[in-house]
Amino acid sequence: MIAERQVVISGLGTVTPFGIGAKTFWEKMIQGESSSRLITSFDVSNLPTRFAAQVPLSERELEPLIANQKSLKTLCRAGKFALIAAQEAMEDSGLRAEEIDPYSLGLSLGAGGLGLSDVEHSDQMFHIILDSLGVEDGIRLDRSKIWKNTLEQVNPLTPLKALPNIPTAHIAIQYNARGNCQTISTACTSSTQAVGEAYRQIKFGIADIMITGGSDSMINPQGLISFSSLGVMSKNNQEYRSAARPFDRRRDGFMLGEGAAILILEELEHCRKRGGRPYTEVIGYSSTCDAFRLTDEPPQAWGSIQAISTALANAKVNPESIDYINAHGTGTVLNDKTETFAIKTVFGEKAYSIPVSSTKSMLGHLVAAAGAVELAACVLSINHRCIPPTINYQEPDPECDLDYVPNEAREADLDIVISNSFGFGGQNACLIIRRVP
Amino acid sequence: MDRGLTEDQVLKTLSNIIVEALRVDPSKITRDTRIFLDLNAESIDILDIRFRMEQAFGFKINQEEMLRSVGAGLSAQEIQMKFTVGSLADYLMEKLRQQKN
């Protein structure tokens, strides 16, 4: 019988609202700091939500951090985050691109964003701009001229910035990754699925090394308007420093975040042979779809329950062995209630003694990057033997009655940890990692 | 932009455009520098350079005509060999003369 291939995480890099690098990310998280700030990068004075968890670097400050300077002209902000995090992760792993068989190296990244606006949306935008200018009725909107001027006046490479697989392609070029390179876009589960699929690539012998994770940046007018329209963000501008309060009775939606996390997944023997340092082992993954409604979770939470229990089965561990759950924990009324219900259904009485925390209370919701950043938090939790808290937790909700690690990090000898992600479209994905023996 | 530009002015503007588009060291750019072969430009970079030239010089440029200006009846590979900073500057000077007349 052929021995099963084991998959380890051998490098990581992050760009988060706490700044550049995994060290800062971890230090601020265990301090229980909030990264919430009032938005000043564009005028939000007439929008219902005026705060977010922004990466504290402007485009100008990000650009010198990217090795391939020519790539900048085809990288959106999220793409820049991905490249910076990938550089840190590769350096951290000690892997040298020239020593890797290029066809055994692949990529699996989660990406989101809005892409280019569709015709209906741009048509509305033209009218709104004219109205906002106070232009009198009777002015003819010459659309064909608008399209022509756009063609002539916008840099022809601009559309590439909106393609979700461009950051993947740039990282592939930089590290000569010629194996399976894929980009997954499933809203808030994008990067959890990306890591899960990367894990499968190595486990099933398709690749030896995968550069994986995700990035996103939606703290821009389009992104903020979109999430405001859907009514999922906190509007608590008065108390913006503590408005992200998952599982708290007073929660009123999530805080939008941005950033990236990249992890290097590697076959265990490959990592050992080259003298690499495995952080943790990836032992389980599952992904399901509710097939119910686009944004409502089914009342019985079948999709999330199935994702958690199948991940446990895939990892060949029983529910009793889970030491910590990094919750999706967005801070919307429905998510936190349904996720709590799903955890209680899968874990039974044991659910009450498993620490469950939401790092979104500190970092906000990084959308397509959320799963990868939260998995990075889990990796560091195991290594530092410490659980990051759910901050801003003051008033318990009777329907959310688990141990949410309120307000302060907690020392704990963690062995096996699960990270949950649930997203629009009824997407559910869970990853399980454990300490390397 | 003023149409009465000297060759040196055109070359300087063009060099700045190439430095910006390809993020290369300005000291690498001479008249003889081959844009594809020495500066590792790819096809989208030529779109970018053409766009930046249109913005800087204020007239439309036909990409095919621009590339073909290095010589009639050449293969794509031969064009890449001959497409230099100098050939592009000459093309721009010719376009500027046409604009003036």
Side-chain angles (χ1 to χ4, degrees), chain A residues 63 69-74 151-157 160, chain B residues 21-23 40 42 44-45 47-48 50-52 54-55 60:
Chain A
E63 291 185 358
Q69 286 286 297
K70 188 160 85 78
S71 68
L72 288 169
K73 65 183 176 180
T74 46
L151 179 67
E152 289 175 356
Q153 291 167 28
V154 176
N155 185 300
L157 307 195
L160 293 174
Chain B
L22 302 179
R23 298 282 181 140
N40 202 25
E42 55 185 301
I44 57 167
D45 293 323
L47 285 177
D48 186 22
R50 190 210 71 205
F51 172 78
R52 289 171 194 261
E54 287 179 348
Q55 298 292 305
K60 292 290 295 172

Coordinates of all heavy atoms in Angstrom, one line a residue, chain A residues 63 69-74 151-157 160, chain B residues 21-23 40 42 44-45 47-48 50-52 54-55 60:
Chain A
E63 N 3.9 50.1 -3.5 CA 4.6 49.8 -4.7 C 6.1 49.5 -4.6 O 6.5 48.5 -5.2 CB 4.4 51.0 -5.8 CG 2.9 51.0 -6.2 CD 2.6 52.0 -7.3 OE1 3.6 52.7 -7.7 OE2 1.5 52.0 -7.8
Q69 N 8.7 45.4 -10.6 CA 8.1 46.7 -10.7 C 7.2 46.8 -12.0 O 6.2 47.6 -11.9 CB 9.2 47.8 -10.8 CG 9.8 48.0 -9.4 CD 8.9 48.8 -8.5 OE1 8.6 49.9 -8.7 NE2 8.5 48.1 -7.4
K70 N 7.5 46.1 -13.0 CA 6.7 46.2 -14.3 C 5.3 45.6 -14.0 O 4.3 46.0 -14.7 CB 7.3 45.5 -15.5 CG 6.6 45.8 -16.8 CD 7.5 45.5 -18.0 CE 7.6 44.1 -18.4 NZ 6.4 43.7 -19.2
S71 N 5.2 44.7 -13.0 CA 3.9 44.1 -12.8 C 2.8 45.1 -12.2 O 1.6 44.9 -12.3 CB 4.0 42.9 -11.8 OG 4.3 43.4 -10.5
L72 N 3.4 46.2 -11.7 CA 2.5 47.2 -11.0 C 1.4 47.7 -11.9 O 0.2 47.9 -11.4 CB 3.3 48.3 -10.4 CG 4.2 48.0 -9.2 CD1 5.2 49.1 -8.9 CD2 3.3 47.7 -8.0
K73 N 1.7 47.9 -13.2 CA 0.7 48.6 -14.0 C -0.5 47.6 -14.3 O -1.5 48.1 -14.8 CB 1.3 49.1 -15.3 CG 1.9 48.0 -16.2 CD 2.5 48.7 -17.4 CE 3.2 47.6 -18.3 NZ 3.8 48.2 -19.5
T74 N -0.4 46.4 -14.0 CA -1.5 45.4 -14.2 C -2.0 44.8 -12.9 O -2.7 43.8 -12.9 CB -1.2 44.3 -15.2 OG1 0.1 43.8 -14.9 CG2 -1.1 44.8 -16.6
L151 N -12.5 54.4 -24.6 CA -11.5 53.6 -25.4 C -10.2 54.4 -25.6 O -9.1 53.9 -25.4 CB -12.1 53.2 -26.7 CG -11.2 52.4 -27.6 CD1 -11.0 51.0 -27.0 CD2 -11.9 52.2 -29.0
E152 N -10.4 55.7 -25.9 CA -9.2 56.5 -26.2 C -8.5 57.0 -25.0 O -7.3 57.3 -25.1 CB -9.6 57.7 -27.1 CG -10.0 57.2 -28.5 CD -10.5 58.3 -29.4 OE1 -10.6 59.4 -28.9 OE2 -10.8 58.0 -30.6
Q153 N -9.2 57.2 -23.9 CA -8.6 57.9 -22.8 C -8.2 57.0 -21.6 O -7.5 57.5 -20.7 CB -9.5 59.0 -22.3 CG -9.6 60.2 -23.3 CD -10.7 61.1 -23.1 OE1 -11.1 61.3 -21.9 NE2 -11.3 61.7 -24.1
V154 N -8.6 55.8 -21.6 CA -8.2 54.9 -20.5 C -7.1 54.0 -21.0 O -7.2 53.4 -22.1 CB -9.4 54.0 -20.0 CG1 -9.0 53.0 -19.0 CG2 -10.6 54.9 -19.5
N155 N -6.1 53.9 -20.1 CA -4.9 53.0 -20.5 C -5.4 51.6 -20.9 O -6.2 51.0 -20.2 CB -4.0 52.9 -19.3 CG -2.7 52.2 -19.7 OD1 -2.7 51.0 -20.1 ND2 -1.6 52.8 -19.6
P156 N -5.0 51.1 -22.1 CA -5.5 49.8 -22.6 C -5.2 48.7 -21.7 O -5.8 47.6 -21.8 CB -4.8 49.7 -23.9 CG -3.6 50.6 -23.9 CD -4.0 51.7 -23.0
L157 N -4.3 48.8 -20.7 CA -4.0 47.7 -19.8 C -5.0 47.7 -18.6 O -4.9 46.7 -17.8 CB -2.6 47.7 -19.4 CG -1.5 47.8 -20.5 CD1 -0.1 47.4 -19.9 CD2 -1.8 46.9 -21.6
L160 N -7.0 44.6 -17.5 CA -6.3 43.4 -16.9 C -6.3 43.5 -15.4 O -6.3 42.5 -14.7 CB -4.8 43.4 -17.4 CG -4.7 43.0 -18.9 CD1 -3.2 43.2 -19.3 CD2 -5.2 41.6 -19.2
Chain B
A21 N 6.7 52.9 -18.5 CA 5.9 51.7 -18.9 C 6.6 50.4 -18.6 O 5.9 49.5 -18.2 CB 5.6 51.8 -20.4
L22 N 7.9 50.4 -18.7 CA 8.6 49.1 -18.5 C 9.4 49.1 -17.2 O 9.9 48.0 -16.9 CB 9.6 48.8 -19.7 CG 8.9 48.8 -21.1 CD1 10.0 48.6 -22.1 CD2 7.9 47.7 -21.2
R23 N 9.3 50.2 -16.5 CA 10.1 50.3 -15.2 C 11.5 49.8 -15.3 O 12.0 49.0 -14.6 CB 9.4 49.4 -14.1 CG 7.9 49.9 -13.8 CD 7.9 51.1 -12.9 NE 6.6 51.5 -12.7 CZ 6.2 51.9 -11.5 NH1 7.0 52.0 -10.5 NH2 5.0 52.3 -11.3
N40 N 12.8 43.5 -22.9 CA 11.9 42.4 -22.5 C 10.4 42.8 -22.6 O 9.6 42.4 -21.8 CB 12.3 41.9 -21.2 CG 11.8 40.4 -20.9 OD1 11.6 39.7 -21.9 ND2 11.6 40.1 -19.7
E42 N 6.6 42.9 -23.7 CA 5.7 41.9 -24.2 C 4.6 42.7 -25.0 O 4.6 43.9 -25.0 CB 5.1 41.0 -23.1 CG 4.4 41.8 -22.0 CD 3.9 40.9 -20.9 OE1 3.1 40.0 -21.2 OE2 4.3 41.0 -19.7
I44 N 1.5 43.4 -24.6 CA 0.7 44.4 -24.0 C 1.5 45.7 -23.6 O 0.9 46.8 -23.5 CB 0.0 43.9 -22.7 CG1 1.0 43.3 -21.7 CG2 -1.1 42.9 -23.0 CD1 0.4 43.1 -20.3
D45 N 2.8 45.6 -23.5 CA 3.6 46.7 -23.2 C 3.6 47.7 -24.4 O 3.7 48.9 -24.2 CB 5.1 46.3 -22.9 CG 5.2 45.5 -21.6 OD1 4.4 45.9 -20.6 OD2 6.0 44.6 -21.5
L47 N 1.1 48.1 -26.4 CA -0.2 48.8 -26.3 C -0.1 50.0 -25.3 O -0.6 51.1 -25.6 CB -1.3 47.9 -25.8 CG -1.9 46.8 -26.6 CD1 -2.9 46.0 -25.8 CD2 -2.7 47.5 -27.8
D48 N 0.6 49.7 -24.2 CA 0.8 50.7 -23.2 C 1.6 51.9 -23.7 O 1.3 53.0 -23.5 CB 1.4 50.0 -22.0 CG 1.5 50.9 -20.7 OD1 0.8 51.9 -20.7 OD2 2.4 50.6 -19.9
R50 N 2.2 52.7 -26.8 CA 1.4 53.5 -27.8 C 0.4 54.4 -27.1 O 0.3 55.6 -27.5 CB 0.7 52.5 -28.7 CG 0.0 53.1 -29.9 CD -1.2 52.4 -30.4 NE -2.3 52.7 -29.4 CZ -3.3 51.9 -29.2 NH1 -3.4 50.7 -29.9 NH2 -4.3 52.2 -28.3
F51 N -0.3 54.0 -26.1 CA -1.3 54.8 -25.4 C -0.6 56.0 -24.8 O -1.0 57.1 -24.9 CB -2.0 54.0 -24.4 CG -2.9 54.8 -23.5 CD1 -4.1 55.2 -23.9 CD2 -2.5 55.2 -22.2 CE1 -5.0 56.0 -23.1 CE2 -3.3 55.9 -21.4 CZ -4.5 56.3 -21.8
R52 N 0.5 55.8 -24.1 CA 1.2 56.8 -23.4 C 1.8 57.9 -24.5 O 1.8 59.1 -24.2 CB 2.4 56.3 -22.6 CG 1.9 55.5 -21.4 CD 3.1 54.8 -20.7 NE 2.7 53.8 -19.7 CZ 2.6 54.0 -18.4 NH1 2.9 55.2 -17.9 NH2 2.2 53.1 -17.6
E54 N 0.3 58.5 -27.4 CA -0.9 59.3 -27.8 C -1.2 60.4 -26.9 O -1.5 61.5 -27.2 CB -2.1 58.4 -28.0 CG -2.0 57.4 -29.2 CD -3.2 56.5 -29.3 OE1 -4.0 56.4 -28.3 OE2 -3.3 55.9 -30.4
Q55 N -1.1 60.1 -25.6 CA -1.4 61.1 -24.5 C -0.4 62.2 -24.5 O -0.7 63.4 -24.4 CB -1.4 60.4 -23.2 CG -2.5 59.3 -23.0 CD -3.9 59.9 -23.0 OE1 -4.3 60.8 -22.2 NE2 -4.7 59.4 -23.9
K60 N -3.5 60.4 -32.7 CA -3.8 58.9 -32.7 C -2.7 58.2 -33.4 O -2.1 58.7 -34.4 CB -5.1 58.7 -33.4 CG -6.3 59.1 -32.7 CD -6.6 58.3 -31.4 CE -7.0 56.9 -31.7 NZ -7.1 56.1 -30.5

